[in-house]
Amino acid sequence: MFHDRKHAAHLLAEMLIEYKDKEAVVVAIPRGGVLVGHPLAKSLGLPLDIIPSKRIIDPAHKDESIGTVSIAGLDITTTNQEIPQDYIYHQVATIQHFLKHQHEKYVGLITLPSLTDKTLILVDDKINSASQFLACYRSLGKHKPTKIIAAIPVLTENALQRIKEEPCHVIYLETTCHSNVESYYELLPKVAEEEIIQLMQDSIILPKARSIT
């Protein structure tokens, strides 16, 4: 059980202490992941970046998703062959365009660190389904990092198994066979966009600029 996201971040930092002040970057998944990623980056003396993502809505069931898109990554979870491929391609292009603008909004004028040849610590506050995480993971892989580490306070057993299918080292504090991952936090308030922007402004900045795409 964690008091809040900051508490979970400090516990993860203890498990990742070998990366303190090394050639590594913490990359957080908005929104809740940023409230874990920010104190984690501070504890390890590392720069912080973010990688937004968005679900692809099932055209026949608006309350369900068929996968997740990140800036340059994709994870499709549906096996429904009736969903037109043209719909998926159009949604991916539209969402990725939106996410690039969202990333720019979050980071503002911050000079971002290069992700190439670095250890990337991909962080979220909790994982029920692995689709969002995997879309972000595949997006980061295009930067040719040295390796990617998944750092998650709590996730489901199913999500853990899916992530372990990738060449990804997983650091976690708790797993559960149930979907109520939120119950592992005493406090889990909603996160506003303004809070993400503020935390990014407070993050460590390196001089080498690069593009997220």
Side-chain angles (χ1 to χ4, degrees):
M1 177 71 74
F2 319 118
H3 176 63
D4 55 14
R5 293 179 176 99
K6 188 174 183 179
H7 176 216
H10 288 311
L11 294 176
L12 285 175
E14 294 175 3
M15 300 178 70
L16 292 161
I17 194 64
E18 65 183 288
Y19 298 100
K20 183 176 176 62
D21 299 320
K22 296 295 177 60
E23 288 292 306
V25 179
V26 174
V27 185
I29 301 174
R31 297 186 182 178
V34 181
L35 272 73
V36 177
H38 179 265
L40 177 63
K42 286 289 187 181
S43 295
L44 298 178
L46 300 177
L48 175 68
D49 196 357
I50 59 173
I51 182 162
S53 61
K54 196 174 188 299
R55 296 186 306 156
I56 306 175
I57 300 301
D58 187 325
H61 304 90
K62 300 300 183 181
D63 58 339
E64 298 180 9
S65 65
I66 61 175
T68 308
V69 180
S70 186
I71 288 179
L74 172 67
D75 182 67
I76 297 295
T77 56
T78 185
T79 57
N80 186 354
Q81 301 297 321
E82 295 181 0
I83 298 176
Q85 288 298 308
D86 286 349
Y87 171 81
I88 296 177
Y89 294 148
H90 180 266
Q91 287 295 303
V92 170
T94 301
I95 292 172
Q96 287 183 337
H97 180 75
F98 166 79
L99 292 176
K100 289 175 183 178
H101 284 284
Q102 188 178 50
H103 185 269
E104 293 171 0
K105 177 181 178 180
Y106 285 153
V107 303
L109 299 177
I110 291 176
T111 300
L112 295 171
S114 171
L115 303 184
T116 303
D117 297 327
K118 300 283 182 64
T119 294
L120 305 183
I121 303 173
L122 182 57
V123 181
D124 207 348
D125 57 350
K126 60 191 181 307
I127 296 181
N128 188 344
S129 165
S131 184
Q132 180 186 39
F133 183 90
L134 291 175
C136 295
Y137 169 84
R138 290 162 187 159
S139 184
L140 292 181
K142 296 184 178 182
H143 290 277
K144 299 186 181 347
T146 303
K147 63 179 174 180
I148 301 176
I149 299 171
I152 314 296
V154 57
L155 72 169
T156 62
E157 291 285 354
N158 287 339
L160 178 60
Q161 292 307 312
R162 282 205 69 200
I163 294 171
K164 282 186 172 181
E165 292 174 1
E166 305 290 337
C168 177
H169 184 52
V170 189
I171 299 292
Y172 61 93
L173 302 172
E174 300 283 352
T175 61
T176 175
C177 59
H178 303 291
S179 60
N180 60 336
V181 287
E182 294 85 358
S183 66
Y184 281 78
Y185 287 90
E186 294 176 0
L187 298 175
L188 198 68
K190 291 184 178 181
V191 183
E193 285 192 338
E194 292 75 17
E195 188 171 5
I196 296 175
I197 294 170
Q198 182 178 357
L199 290 174
M200 290 304 300
Q201 292 296 324
D202 186 55
S203 64
I204 299 172
I205 303 171
L206 294 185
K208 185 178 180 180
R210 56 96 186 160
S211 170
I212 189 68
T213 55

